[in-house]
PDB file of all heavy atoms in Angstrom:
ATOM      1  N   ASN Q  43      86.351 132.441 -80.242  1.00 96.00           N
ATOM      2  CA  ASN Q  43      87.695 132.617 -79.571  1.00 96.00           C
ATOM      3  C   ASN Q  43      88.735 131.944 -80.388  1.00 96.00           C
ATOM      4  O   ASN Q  43      88.494 131.091 -81.192  1.00 96.00           O
ATOM      5  CB  ASN Q  43      87.623 131.942 -78.140  1.00 96.00           C
ATOM      6  CG  ASN Q  43      87.441 130.518 -78.074  1.00 96.00           C
ATOM      7  OD1 ASN Q  43      88.540 129.835 -78.319  1.00 96.00           O
ATOM      8  ND2 ASN Q  43      86.352 130.061 -77.762  1.00 96.00           N
ATOM      9  N   ALA Q  45      92.534 130.069 -79.743  1.00 97.00           N
ATOM     10  CA  ALA Q  45      93.500 129.421 -78.640  1.00 97.00           C
ATOM     11  C   ALA Q  45      94.815 129.852 -78.982  1.00 97.00           C
ATOM     12  O   ALA Q  45      95.251 129.940 -80.081  1.00 97.00           O
ATOM     13  CB  ALA Q  45      93.283 127.929 -78.715  1.00 97.00           C
ATOM     14  N   ILE Q  47      97.083 128.624 -76.510  1.00 98.00           N
ATOM     15  CA  ILE Q  47      97.614 127.305 -76.178  1.00 98.00           C
ATOM     16  C   ILE Q  47      96.479 126.352 -76.549  1.00 98.00           C
ATOM     17  O   ILE Q  47      95.369 126.401 -75.967  1.00 98.00           O
ATOM     18  CB  ILE Q  47      97.866 127.090 -74.633  1.00 98.00           C
ATOM     19  CG1 ILE Q  47      98.829 128.247 -74.142  1.00 98.00           C
ATOM     20  CG2 ILE Q  47      98.332 125.706 -74.277  1.00 98.00           C
ATOM     21  CD1 ILE Q  47     100.309 127.945 -74.538  1.00 98.00           C
ATOM     22  N   LYS Q  48      96.787 125.530 -77.516  1.00 98.00           N
ATOM     23  CA  LYS Q  48      95.767 124.721 -78.232  1.00 98.00           C
ATOM     24  C   LYS Q  48      95.276 123.543 -77.483  1.00 98.00           C
ATOM     25  O   LYS Q  48      95.875 122.924 -76.839  1.00 98.00           O
ATOM     26  CB  LYS Q  48      96.335 124.273 -79.568  1.00 98.00           C
ATOM     27  CG  LYS Q  48      96.810 125.361 -80.553  1.00 98.00           C
ATOM     28  CD  LYS Q  48      95.857 126.161 -81.134  1.00 98.00           C
ATOM     29  CE  LYS Q  48      96.426 127.175 -82.101  1.00 98.00           C
ATOM     30  NZ  LYS Q  48      95.528 128.289 -82.452  1.00 98.00           N
ATOM     31  N   TYR Q  49      93.981 123.291 -77.727  1.00 98.00           N
ATOM     32  CA  TYR Q  49      93.288 122.062 -77.364  1.00 98.00           C
ATOM     33  C   TYR Q  49      93.364 121.086 -78.467  1.00 98.00           C
ATOM     34  O   TYR Q  49      92.943 121.472 -79.590  1.00 98.00           O
ATOM     35  CB  TYR Q  49      91.823 122.386 -77.003  1.00 98.00           C
ATOM     36  CG  TYR Q  49      90.663 121.364 -77.270  1.00 98.00           C
ATOM     37  CD1 TYR Q  49      90.773 120.033 -76.884  1.00 98.00           C
ATOM     38  CD2 TYR Q  49      89.609 121.790 -78.017  1.00 98.00           C
ATOM     39  CE1 TYR Q  49      89.735 119.139 -77.192  1.00 98.00           C
ATOM     40  CE2 TYR Q  49      88.577 120.852 -78.391  1.00 98.00           C
ATOM     41  CZ  TYR Q  49      88.702 119.580 -77.873  1.00 98.00           C
ATOM     42  OH  TYR Q  49      87.725 118.677 -78.243  1.00 98.00           O
ATOM     43  N   TRP Q  50      93.982 120.025 -78.388  1.00 98.00           N
ATOM     44  CA  TRP Q  50      94.029 119.101 -79.429  1.00 98.00           C
ATOM     45  C   TRP Q  50      94.077 117.584 -78.951  1.00 98.00           C
ATOM     46  O   TRP Q  50      95.178 117.145 -78.440  1.00 98.00           O
ATOM     47  CB  TRP Q  50      95.278 119.377 -80.420  1.00 98.00           C
ATOM     48  CG  TRP Q  50      95.124 118.665 -81.712  1.00 98.00           C
ATOM     49  CD1 TRP Q  50      95.831 117.678 -82.170  1.00 98.00           C
ATOM     50  CD2 TRP Q  50      94.166 118.920 -82.764  1.00 98.00           C
ATOM     51  NE1 TRP Q  50      95.439 117.275 -83.439  1.00 98.00           N
ATOM     52  CE2 TRP Q  50      94.489 117.980 -83.848  1.00 98.00           C
ATOM     53  CE3 TRP Q  50      93.155 119.903 -82.975  1.00 98.00           C
ATOM     54  CZ2 TRP Q  50      93.768 117.939 -85.049  1.00 98.00           C
ATOM     55  CZ3 TRP Q  50      92.479 119.845 -84.104  1.00 98.00           C
ATOM     56  CH2 TRP Q  50      92.721 118.989 -85.183  1.00 98.00           C
ATOM     57  N   LYS Q  52      91.249 114.353 -77.340  1.00 98.00           N
ATOM     58  CA  LYS Q  52      90.198 114.066 -76.237  1.00 98.00           C
ATOM     59  C   LYS Q  52      90.612 112.824 -75.445  1.00 98.00           C
ATOM     60  O   LYS Q  52      91.057 111.953 -76.089  1.00 98.00           O
ATOM     61  CB  LYS Q  52      88.894 113.922 -76.720  1.00 98.00           C
ATOM     62  CG  LYS Q  52      88.325 115.049 -77.445  1.00 98.00           C
ATOM     63  CD  LYS Q  52      86.890 114.815 -78.124  1.00 98.00           C
ATOM     64  CE  LYS Q  52      86.245 115.922 -78.918  1.00 98.00           C
ATOM     65  NZ  LYS Q  52      86.823 116.118 -80.234  1.00 98.00           N
ATOM     66  N   ILE Q  58      83.402 115.022 -74.194  1.00 98.00           N
ATOM     67  CA  ILE Q  58      84.423 116.029 -74.754  1.00 98.00           C
ATOM     68  C   ILE Q  58      85.268 116.467 -73.656  1.00 98.00           C
ATOM     69  O   ILE Q  58      85.277 117.634 -73.151  1.00 98.00           O
ATOM     70  CB  ILE Q  58      83.641 117.123 -75.550  1.00 98.00           C
ATOM     71  CG1 ILE Q  58      82.696 116.578 -76.651  1.00 98.00           C
ATOM     72  CG2 ILE Q  58      84.693 118.077 -76.150  1.00 98.00           C
ATOM     73  CD1 ILE Q  58      82.253 117.470 -77.610  1.00 98.00           C
ATOM     74  N   SER Q  64      93.923 124.372 -72.031  1.00 98.00           N
ATOM     75  CA  SER Q  64      94.114 125.345 -73.135  1.00 98.00           C
ATOM     76  C   SER Q  64      93.779 126.723 -72.723  1.00 98.00           C
ATOM     77  O   SER Q  64      93.212 126.942 -71.784  1.00 98.00           O
ATOM     78  CB  SER Q  64      93.327 124.975 -74.344  1.00 98.00           C
ATOM     79  OG  SER Q  64      91.932 124.830 -74.032  1.00 98.00           O
ATOM     80  N   ARG Q 104      75.591 115.879 -79.981  1.00 95.00           N
ATOM     81  CA  ARG Q 104      76.191 117.042 -79.261  1.00 95.00           C
ATOM     82  C   ARG Q 104      75.061 118.107 -78.910  1.00 95.00           C
ATOM     83  O   ARG Q 104      75.012 118.704 -77.908  1.00 95.00           O
ATOM     84  CB  ARG Q 104      77.247 117.744 -80.040  1.00 95.00           C
ATOM     85  CG  ARG Q 104      78.434 116.927 -80.287  1.00 95.00           C
ATOM     86  CD  ARG Q 104      79.467 117.452 -81.155  1.00 95.00           C
ATOM     87  NE  ARG Q 104      80.710 116.700 -81.049  1.00 95.00           N
ATOM     88  CZ  ARG Q 104      81.817 117.289 -81.322  1.00 95.00           C
ATOM     89  NH1 ARG Q 104      81.911 118.598 -81.549  1.00 95.00           N
ATOM     90  NH2 ARG Q 104      82.948 116.706 -81.171  1.00 95.00           N
ATOM     91  N   SER Q 155      81.749 126.959 -84.583  1.00 88.00           N
ATOM     92  CA  SER Q 155      80.949 126.113 -83.692  1.00 88.00           C
ATOM     93  C   SER Q 155      81.227 126.545 -82.157  1.00 88.00           C
ATOM     94  O   SER Q 155      80.358 126.298 -81.417  1.00 88.00           O
ATOM     95  CB  SER Q 155      81.404 124.630 -83.767  1.00 88.00           C
ATOM     96  OG  SER Q 155      82.738 124.480 -83.458  1.00 88.00           O
ATOM     97  N   ARG Q 184      80.804 122.808 -73.394  1.00 98.00           N
ATOM     98  CA  ARG Q 184      81.924 121.888 -73.801  1.00 98.00           C
ATOM     99  C   ARG Q 184      81.396 120.731 -74.467  1.00 98.00           C
ATOM    100  O   ARG Q 184      82.069 120.088 -75.331  1.00 98.00           O
ATOM    101  CB  ARG Q 184      82.647 121.621 -72.497  1.00 98.00           C
ATOM    102  CG  ARG Q 184      83.967 120.741 -72.688  1.00 98.00           C
ATOM    103  CD  ARG Q 184      84.321 120.079 -71.409  1.00 98.00           C
ATOM    104  NE  ARG Q 184      83.505 118.912 -71.227  1.00 98.00           N
ATOM    105  CZ  ARG Q 184      82.872 118.465 -70.148  1.00 98.00           C
ATOM    106  NH1 ARG Q 184      82.957 119.294 -69.022  1.00 98.00           N
ATOM    107  NH2 ARG Q 184      82.067 117.514 -70.003  1.00 98.00           N
ATOM    108  N   GLY Q 186      79.010 120.482 -76.500  1.00 97.00           N
ATOM    109  CA  GLY Q 186      78.586 120.821 -77.749  1.00 97.00           C
ATOM    110  C   GLY Q 186      79.794 120.809 -78.756  1.00 97.00           C
ATOM    111  O   GLY Q 186      79.937 120.141 -79.800  1.00 97.00           O
ATOM    112  N   SER Q 187      80.801 121.451 -78.289  1.00 96.00           N
ATOM    113  CA  SER Q 187      82.136 121.457 -78.944  1.00 96.00           C
ATOM    114  C   SER Q 187      83.114 122.002 -78.020  1.00 96.00           C
ATOM    115  O   SER Q 187      82.875 122.998 -77.103  1.00 96.00           O
ATOM    116  CB  SER Q 187      81.974 122.494 -80.167  1.00 96.00           C
ATOM    117  OG  SER Q 187      83.235 122.630 -80.757  1.00 96.00           O
ATOM    118  N   GLY Q 188      84.292 121.339 -77.865  1.00 97.00           N
ATOM    119  CA  GLY Q 188      85.235 121.590 -76.911  1.00 97.00           C
ATOM    120  C   GLY Q 188      85.547 123.146 -76.728  1.00 97.00           C
ATOM    121  O   GLY Q 188      85.432 123.671 -75.611  1.00 97.00           O
ATOM    122  N   SER Q 189      86.042 123.633 -77.774  1.00 97.00           N
ATOM    123  CA  SER Q 189      86.374 125.001 -77.735  1.00 97.00           C
ATOM    124  C   SER Q 189      85.250 126.038 -77.394  1.00 97.00           C
ATOM    125  O   SER Q 189      85.507 127.167 -76.919  1.00 97.00           O
ATOM    126  CB  SER Q 189      87.009 125.462 -79.188  1.00 97.00           C
ATOM    127  OG  SER Q 189      86.054 125.059 -80.085  1.00 97.00           O
ATOM    128  N   ALA Q 190      84.053 125.551 -77.469  1.00 97.00           N
ATOM    129  CA  ALA Q 190      82.833 126.475 -77.085  1.00 97.00           C
ATOM    130  C   ALA Q 190      82.894 126.855 -75.646  1.00 97.00           C
ATOM    131  O   ALA Q 190      82.385 127.920 -75.295  1.00 97.00           O
ATOM    132  CB  ALA Q 190      81.513 125.719 -77.518  1.00 97.00           C
ATOM    133  N   ARG Q 192      85.130 127.864 -73.884  1.00 98.00           N
ATOM    134  CA  ARG Q 192      86.028 129.163 -73.612  1.00 98.00           C
ATOM    135  C   ARG Q 192      85.180 130.366 -74.091  1.00 98.00           C
ATOM    136  O   ARG Q 192      85.642 131.516 -73.837  1.00 98.00           O
ATOM    137  CB  ARG Q 192      87.449 128.964 -74.283  1.00 98.00           C
ATOM    138  CG  ARG Q 192      88.183 127.836 -73.749  1.00 98.00           C
ATOM    139  CD  ARG Q 192      89.523 127.816 -74.457  1.00 98.00           C
ATOM    140  NE  ARG Q 192      89.395 127.931 -75.859  1.00 98.00           N
ATOM    141  CZ  ARG Q 192      89.943 127.059 -76.664  1.00 98.00           C
ATOM    142  NH1 ARG Q 192      90.759 126.066 -76.423  1.00 98.00           N
ATOM    143  NH2 ARG Q 192      89.719 127.207 -78.060  1.00 98.00           N
ATOM    144  N   TRP Q 201      90.703 126.912 -70.254  1.00 98.00           N
ATOM    145  CA  TRP Q 201      89.826 125.591 -70.078  1.00 98.00           C
ATOM    146  C   TRP Q 201      90.806 124.605 -69.354  1.00 98.00           C
ATOM    147  O   TRP Q 201      91.705 124.185 -69.877  1.00 98.00           O
ATOM    148  CB  TRP Q 201      89.481 125.068 -71.491  1.00 98.00           C
ATOM    149  CG  TRP Q 201      88.777 123.796 -71.509  1.00 98.00           C
ATOM    150  CD1 TRP Q 201      88.211 123.098 -70.385  1.00 98.00           C
ATOM    151  CD2 TRP Q 201      88.511 122.970 -72.568  1.00 98.00           C
ATOM    152  NE1 TRP Q 201      87.642 121.940 -70.753  1.00 98.00           N
ATOM    153  CE2 TRP Q 201      87.686 121.870 -72.275  1.00 98.00           C
ATOM    154  CE3 TRP Q 201      88.755 123.056 -74.046  1.00 98.00           C
ATOM    155  CZ2 TRP Q 201      87.380 120.795 -73.072  1.00 98.00           C
ATOM    156  CZ3 TRP Q 201      88.293 122.062 -74.869  1.00 98.00           C
ATOM    157  CH2 TRP Q 201      87.749 121.147 -74.361  1.00 98.00           C
ATOM    158  N   SER Q 242      88.170 119.270 -87.032  1.00 93.00           N
ATOM    159  CA  SER Q 242      89.012 119.186 -85.839  1.00 93.00           C
ATOM    160  C   SER Q 242      88.706 117.989 -85.113  1.00 93.00           C
ATOM    161  O   SER Q 242      89.467 117.175 -84.684  1.00 93.00           O
ATOM    162  CB  SER Q 242      88.588 120.334 -84.932  1.00 93.00           C
ATOM    163  OG  SER Q 242      88.771 121.567 -85.548  1.00 93.00           O
ATOM    164  N   THR Q 243      87.360 117.564 -85.028  1.00 94.00           N
ATOM    165  CA  THR Q 243      87.000 116.412 -84.329  1.00 94.00           C
ATOM    166  C   THR Q 243      87.701 115.213 -84.885  1.00 94.00           C
ATOM    167  O   THR Q 243      88.292 114.334 -84.148  1.00 94.00           O
ATOM    168  CB  THR Q 243      85.416 116.200 -84.468  1.00 94.00           C
ATOM    169  OG1 THR Q 243      84.814 117.414 -84.020  1.00 94.00           O
ATOM    170  CG2 THR Q 243      84.943 115.114 -83.596  1.00 94.00           C
ATOM    171  N   MET Q 246      91.760 115.389 -84.486  1.00 97.00           N
ATOM    172  CA  MET Q 246      92.290 115.214 -83.256  1.00 97.00           C
ATOM    173  C   MET Q 246      92.156 113.723 -82.728  1.00 97.00           C
ATOM    174  O   MET Q 246      93.016 113.140 -81.974  1.00 97.00           O
ATOM    175  CB  MET Q 246      91.768 116.184 -82.089  1.00 97.00           C
ATOM    176  CG  MET Q 246      90.375 116.134 -81.670  1.00 97.00           C
ATOM    177  SD  MET Q 246      90.132 117.231 -80.397  1.00 97.00           S
ATOM    178  CE  MET Q 246      89.842 118.841 -81.188  1.00 97.00           C
ATOM    179  N   PHE Q 294     101.314 122.426 -82.448  1.00 98.00           N
ATOM    180  CA  PHE Q 294      99.965 121.802 -82.807  1.00 98.00           C
ATOM    181  C   PHE Q 294     100.092 121.242 -84.176  1.00 98.00           C
ATOM    182  O   PHE Q 294      99.648 120.201 -84.676  1.00 98.00           O
ATOM    183  CB  PHE Q 294      98.876 122.804 -82.598  1.00 98.00           C
ATOM    184  CG  PHE Q 294      97.615 122.567 -83.511  1.00 98.00           C
ATOM    185  CD1 PHE Q 294      96.983 121.308 -83.603  1.00 98.00           C
ATOM    186  CD2 PHE Q 294      97.054 123.704 -84.086  1.00 98.00           C
ATOM    187  CE1 PHE Q 294      95.862 121.161 -84.375  1.00 98.00           C
ATOM    188  CE2 PHE Q 294      95.978 123.452 -84.877  1.00 98.00           C
ATOM    189  CZ  PHE Q 294      95.357 122.210 -85.033  1.00 98.00           C
ATOM    190  N   TYR Q 329      97.471 129.397 -85.808  1.00 95.00           N
ATOM    191  CA  TYR Q 329      96.590 128.825 -86.839  1.00 95.00           C
ATOM    192  C   TYR Q 329      95.923 127.771 -86.229  1.00 95.00           C
ATOM    193  O   TYR Q 329      96.424 126.852 -85.451  1.00 95.00           O
ATOM    194  CB  TYR Q 329      97.482 128.212 -88.015  1.00 95.00           C
ATOM    195  CG  TYR Q 329      98.192 129.253 -88.748  1.00 95.00           C
ATOM    196  CD1 TYR Q 329      99.389 129.916 -88.292  1.00 95.00           C
ATOM    197  CD2 TYR Q 329      97.795 129.673 -89.960  1.00 95.00           C
ATOM    198  CE1 TYR Q 329     100.061 130.964 -88.948  1.00 95.00           C
ATOM    199  CE2 TYR Q 329      98.341 130.696 -90.757  1.00 95.00           C
ATOM    200  CZ  TYR Q 329      99.514 131.208 -90.216  1.00 95.00           C
ATOM    201  OH  TYR Q 329     100.139 132.256 -90.925  1.00 95.00           O
ATOM    202  N   ASP Q 330      94.522 127.680 -86.577  1.00 94.00           N
ATOM    203  CA  ASP Q 330      93.692 126.509 -86.035  1.00 94.00           C
ATOM    204  C   ASP Q 330      93.718 125.508 -87.056  1.00 94.00           C
ATOM    205  O   ASP Q 330      94.653 125.377 -87.853  1.00 94.00           O
ATOM    206  CB  ASP Q 330      92.275 126.957 -85.700  1.00 94.00           C
ATOM    207  CG  ASP Q 330      92.252 127.507 -84.295  1.00 94.00           C
ATOM    208  OD1 ASP Q 330      93.173 127.257 -83.463  1.00 94.00           O
ATOM    209  OD2 ASP Q 330      91.180 128.035 -83.872  1.00 94.00           O
ATOM    210  N   ALA Q 331      92.580 124.802 -87.244  1.00 92.00           N
ATOM    211  CA  ALA Q 331      92.408 123.637 -88.076  1.00 92.00           C
ATOM    212  C   ALA Q 331      92.180 124.138 -89.527  1.00 92.00           C
ATOM    213  O   ALA Q 331      91.103 123.747 -90.059  1.00 92.00           O
ATOM    214  CB  ALA Q 331      91.488 122.636 -87.655  1.00 92.00           C
TER     215      ALA Q 331
HETATM  216  C1  DP6 K 505      92.501 123.706 -83.356  1.00 84.89           C
HETATM  217  O1  DP6 K 505      86.509 122.550 -80.386  1.00 84.89           O
HETATM  218  O2  DP6 K 505      86.244 122.385 -82.919  1.00 84.89           O
HETATM  219  O3  DP6 K 505      90.726 125.072 -82.777  1.00 84.89           O
HETATM  220  O4  DP6 K 505      85.717 119.479 -79.455  1.00 84.89           O
HETATM  221  O5  DP6 K 505      85.597 118.064 -81.522  1.00 84.89           O
HETATM  222  O6  DP6 K 505      84.131 120.091 -81.461  1.00 84.89           O
HETATM  223  P1  DP6 K 505      85.386 119.453 -80.949  1.00 84.89           P
HETATM  224  O7  DP6 K 505      86.672 120.353 -81.482  1.00 84.89           O
HETATM  225  P2  DP6 K 505      86.845 121.949 -81.606  1.00 84.89           P
HETATM  226  O8  DP6 K 505      88.449 121.968 -81.832  1.00 84.89           O
HETATM  227  C2  DP6 K 505      89.185 123.207 -81.769  1.00 84.89           C
HETATM  228  C3  DP6 K 505      90.614 122.780 -82.039  1.00 84.89           C
HETATM  229  C4  DP6 K 505      91.440 124.012 -82.307  1.00 84.89           C
HETATM  230  C5  DP6 K 505      92.219 124.380 -81.113  1.00 84.89           C
HETATM  231  C6  DP6 K 505      91.499 125.111 -79.985  1.00 84.89           C
HETATM  232  O9  DP6 K 505      90.523 125.918 -80.339  1.00 84.89           O
HETATM  233  O10 DP6 K 505      91.898 125.067 -78.819  1.00 84.89           O
END
Side-chain angles (χ1 to χ4, degrees):
N43 70 76
I47 301 288
K48 305 286 183 196
Y49 145 55
W50 195 250
K52 299 182 183 70
I58 310 197
S64 54
R104 291 170 170 220
S155 70
R184 188 201 75 228
S187 180
S189 52
R192 297 184 311 234
W201 174 10
S242 302
T243 309
M246 67 175 83
F294 154 50
Y329 293 79
D330 273 350

